[in-house]
Amino acid sequence: MAKITKDTIIGDILDIAPQTAPAFLAIGMHCLGCPSSRGETVEQACMVHGVDVTALLEKLNSMID
């Protein structure tokens, strides 16, 4: 995976880099397997959960380096 952006679909991230799941769980995304959460972009998830998208992107990208 090249780089995760705010437009990357969470399901795609989890399929390619399952080690990122704890980062999503830490922001309150506890139903990572449900269709709606897997179809959201990183930006949409951050808006719903009140999380800074830039901070989450830094964390996710550091987990895949």
Side-chain angles (χ1 to χ4, degrees), residues 14 20-33 49 56 60:
L14 294 171
T20 60
F24 291 108
L25 293 171
I27 67 164
M29 286 193 69
H30 298 287
C31 71
L32 292 177
H49 295 280
L56 181 60
L60 293 171

Side-chain angles (χ1 to χ4, degrees), residues 30-47:
H30 298 287
C31 71
L32 292 177
C34 71
S36 61
S37 72
R38 288 189 56 91
E40 286 181 330
T41 65
V42 173
E43 183 176 47
Q44 290 169 327
C46 286
M47 286 190 311

